[in-house]
Amino acid sequence: MPISMDELRQIADLARLRLSDVELEAMHSDLNRVLTHFTHLQELQLAGVEVSAHAVDAQSVWDNDEPSGGLSREQALSSAPSAESGLFLVPTIIE
Amino acid sequence: MSLVSLSVSEMRSGLLNREFSAVELAQAHLDRLSELDPSVKAFVTVDPETTLAQAKHAQARIDSGDATPMLGIPIALKDNMVTKGMRTTCSSKILENYVPQYQGTAASKLESLGAVFLGKTNLDEFAMGTSTEYSAFFATRNPWNLECVPGGSSGGSAAAVASQMAPISFGSDTGGSVRQPASLCGVVGFKPTYGRVSRYGLIAFASSLDQIGPFARCVSDAIDAFESVMGRDAMDSTTIEASYDASVARTPALNGKRLAMPRELFSDDISPDVRAVVRDALDAMSNSGAIIEEVSLPIIEHGVSTYYIIAPAEASSNLARFDGVRYGLRVDGANSIDMMTNTRSAGFGKEVQERIIIGTYVLSSGYYDAFYAKACQARTLMKRQFEEVFTKYDAVICPTSPTTAFRLGEKLDDPMALKLADFCTIPANMGGFPALSLPCGLANGLPVGLQLIAKSFDEEHLFSIALATEEVLPKIGMPAIA
């Protein structure tokens, strides 16, 4: 099932990526070659097979609810591209 | 004999017997790096000042009677392993100037054991690739032939060990990113069982597949390196405390071992020269008493498709954190959405963007069942087929890579060709199994790797077989550059 150009634009938008028309063309062609390869999976008999989201049989792990150290506010903010008054600064969210 | 050519155990005894100091050992590796890295390009960041300070500290510990296994041993870390105060880039423009405020568990364990950090090694951006050509900074070269790729994504770590710039390095393996470059560079590469080594501080690519593993020039050194980082970690709830017998691991055993040879990994998909070298290796193992039988694991044919759905799906989610707000690159925009879009479009390279888009697509409404759910079912079948084999055999044995090192640029135009380089290594990630690649010969002057895969948490027997196998395989020597 090939991906259409409109779908590709919409997916890129959802992923917060902006592609030029030239990049879109190239990616469209690459993606459809990769997706064609994926169609081989349709050959498998998978009815009734459970899904594996993990490699090993993992179970929920509960930690004791005890306070422990972490980054200080200064440390957490020290890598921020923009910070002010002890807070991360971002452009306008709501007009 | 030059210090850089010693094994880790030789370095350890030389340090403890005062034949040379930790500072001399570190300096010898820094000199080697200055000499060779301009042509190999294995390292993204080196910091000789920190390296020598750590070496001085290690020597002080040695002088006070400390003898922990990694004390004073120089190591290199893939640049997706977070190191406090040392730039960690993931070979991406989005993290080009990122200096972390914290350190990952594996790096912390190595530091507390007295290992000396030489620097951070190059990778395909965010570990997405099989040739290290997708690094946003530069391509790493294969020490055996500088016109060839070292494999990837941990190509810098593999090349560093192969060219004796480090005796030990660490990489991460999501679909083969330790074993495949180990194969192409003629060194040992090991991916532990999923859950053996903490992923805390490993910048996430595909969380259900990623695992940190070592490179070394012999199996024994790889075991030392693995034992330094293994174990349950409260900071990574997917780590598991499982038994491991170090004495079994260090006892070579091949006679009477039952090894399964999947016919799908000896097919025409594997180049004839690789098959020929691997078959010679199997003959040598049989002559030493290994019982090698052909089996069929038909699900292997679907491994690449399964992987290239699951890994990008997880990556598209993991890489959503790079939004220009808390760390890394920011490219301004009129509003927050604009800023995030500008940042991600400028910061991620083409391959990373393509995988984010594949991942977003296969998880999107209408395609989830057709792609992601099916891939997760195929993953179940892959685990089952291998686990069935492990009820009758001690290990699976096969080539590590379908080809030897290919030329730089050779596969960049074909989106599937580079992906197929993981054909032999993907199953171990899908099932979580431990797997090791060791050099087994040369084809046209380039190394060929032999892969051993065992059942989950059976590292001790995998190492035991690998040690005995190493003894019966021809020695490939060192690349001419070294």
Side-chain angles (χ1 to χ4, degrees), chain B residues 46 113 128 135 157 233 285 289 296 316 319 322 353 383 430:
Chain B
V46 285
L113 289 170
M128 297 178 187
S135 164
S157 284
D233 177 20
M285 295 169 78
S296 179
S316 69
L319 269 59
F322 296 97
Q353 293 194 16
K383 274 175 68 177
M430 288 296 162

Side-chain angles (χ1 to χ4, degrees), chain B residues 294-329:
Chain B
E294 190 175 272
V295 297
S296 179
L297 287 158
I299 192 69
I300 287 173
E301 302 287 356
H302 298 281
V304 172
S305 295
T306 306
Y307 175 78
Y308 279 96
I309 291 170
I310 291 174
E314 295 186 23
S316 69
S317 171
N318 274 325
L319 269 59
R321 74 191 61 180
F322 296 97
D323 54 9
V325 173
R326 290 151 300 158
Y327 45 79
L329 179 75

Side-chain angles (χ1 to χ4, degrees), chain B residues 27-279:
Chain B
Q27 189 61 56
H29 284 89
L30 290 172
D31 291 346
R32 179 76 165 176
L33 219 149
S34 306
E35 179 198 349
L36 291 186
D37 207 42
S39 46
V40 176
K41 296 173 174 289
F43 285 83
V44 173
T45 301
V46 285
D47 178 4
E49 215 170 287
T50 300
T51 303
L52 292 172
Q54 287 181 335
K56 273 185 200 140
H57 183 61
Q59 187 59 46
R61 284 175 61 178
I62 293 169
D63 292 341
S64 69
D66 194 348
T68 51
M70 295 306 276
L71 196 53
I73 304 297
I75 61 160
L77 299 174
K78 185 176 183 178
D79 207 18
N80 61 352
M81 295 172 70
V82 170
T83 42
K84 188 174 182 178
M86 190 182 266
R87 193 170 74 121
T88 300
T89 69
C90 251
S91 287
S92 177
K93 282 196 268 181
I94 212 160
L95 286 176
E96 189 165 4
N97 300 307
Y98 174 55
V99 179
Q101 292 289 330
Y102 74 106
Q103 183 146 286
T105 299
S108 289
K109 282 189 174 204
L110 289 161
E111 192 172 19
S112 67
L113 289 170
V116 173
F117 294 0
L118 291 164
K120 309 294 291 291
T121 60
N122 198 21
L123 61 146
D124 288 293
E125 185 179 357
F126 282 97
M128 297 178 187
T130 56
S131 70
T132 317
E133 292 170 292
Y134 289 139
S135 164
F137 306 139
F138 46 80
T140 298
R141 311 292 180 122
N142 190 312
W144 289 82
N145 180 340
L146 296 175
E147 297 306 310
C148 290
V149 302
S153 64
S154 315
S157 284
V161 169
S163 54
Q164 298 184 337
M165 291 192 272
I168 295 279
S169 63
F170 286 85
S172 61
D173 190 315
T174 305
S177 280
V178 167
R179 290 159 287 152
Q180 184 260 8
S183 174
L184 270 50
C185 288
V187 296
V188 175
F190 174 58
K191 182 200 84 74
T193 307
Y194 184 85
R196 268 289 191 199
V197 179
S198 172
R199 291 178 297 108
Y200 177 67
L202 173 68
I203 296 176
F205 164 13
S207 305
S208 81
L209 303 165
D210 297 340
Q211 194 65 189
I212 289 172
F215 293 90
R217 288 192 294 268
C218 62
V219 175
S220 168
D221 287 358
I223 298 173
D224 282 349
F226 162 70
E227 289 175 353
S228 306
V229 296
M230 63 174 267
R232 163 109 180 91
D233 177 20
M235 299 302 282
D236 174 1
S237 64
T238 63
T239 51
I240 293 169
E241 194 67 72
S243 68
Y244 170 77
D245 188 331
S247 62
V248 171
R250 287 172 196 284
T251 308
L254 199 51
N255 191 24
K257 293 290 177 189
R258 295 176 58 81
L259 305 176
M261 186 186 136
R263 87 170 53 105
E264 293 77 9
L265 293 176
F266 287 83
S267 68
D268 290 343
D269 292 325
I270 311 299
S271 77
D273 50 352
V274 168
R275 265 184 285 159
V277 172
V278 170
R279 280 190 185 277

Side-chain angles (χ1 to χ4, degrees), chain A residues 1-3 7-8 11-19 23 26-27 29-31 33-35 37-59 61 63 71 74-82 88-93 95, chain B residues 98-99 101 194 208 232 234 237 240 299 302 305-306 308-309 324-328 330 333 335-342 344-345 348 350 353-354 356-358 360-361 364 367 370-371 373-381 383-384 413-416 420 429-432:
Chain A
M1 53 191 92
I3 183 169
E7 277 177 313
L8 177 56
I11 294 289
D13 192 45
L14 286 171
R16 301 284 179 255
L17 293 170
R18 183 179 296 116
L19 302 170
E23 287 169 332
M27 197 169 285
S29 139
D30 278 4
L31 274 184
R33 285 170 75 182
V34 173
L35 291 174
H37 197 86
F38 291 171
T39 55
H40 295 305
L41 277 186
Q42 313 298 333
E43 298 160 10
L44 285 172
Q45 298 295 321
L46 294 169
V49 177
E50 71 267 31
V51 299
S52 291
H54 282 281
V56 291
D57 295 328
Q59 294 179 351
V61 178
D63 260 353
L71 295 181
E74 289 70 29
Q75 285 175 316
L77 287 168
S78 67
S79 302
S82 184
F88 293 108
L89 199 63
V90 294
T92 310
I93 296 173
E95 293 292 344
Chain B
Y98 174 55
V99 179
Q101 292 289 330
Y194 184 85
S208 81
R232 163 109 180 91
S237 64
I240 293 169
I299 192 69
H302 298 281
S305 295
T306 306
Y308 279 96
I309 291 170
V325 173
R326 290 151 300 158
Y327 45 79
R330 172 184 291 190
N335 55 46
S336 281
I337 300 289
D338 240 18
M339 182 276 287
M340 287 178 195
T341 306
N342 292 344
R344 292 164 61 81
S345 305
F348 291 135
K350 174 185 166 284
Q353 293 194 16
E354 188 169 306
I356 290 172
I357 284 177
I358 291 175
T360 309
Y361 180 67
S364 64
Y367 299 104
F371 290 114
K374 276 215 160 41
C376 289
Q377 287 176 302
R379 183 175 187 177
T380 305
L381 290 186
K383 274 175 68 177
R384 279 190 200 155
D413 291 336
D414 184 347
M416 275 321 292
L420 289 167
N429 301 84
M430 288 296 162

Side-chain angles (χ1 to χ4, degrees), chain B residues 6-29:
Chain B
L6 300 177
S7 69
V8 170
S9 53
E10 288 167 336
M11 288 179 190
R12 188 181 305 130
S13 65
L15 287 167
L16 296 181
N17 295 328
R18 306 294 194 274
E19 289 163 32
F20 46 82
S21 72
V23 175
E24 287 167 326
L25 187 61
Q27 189 61 56
H29 284 89

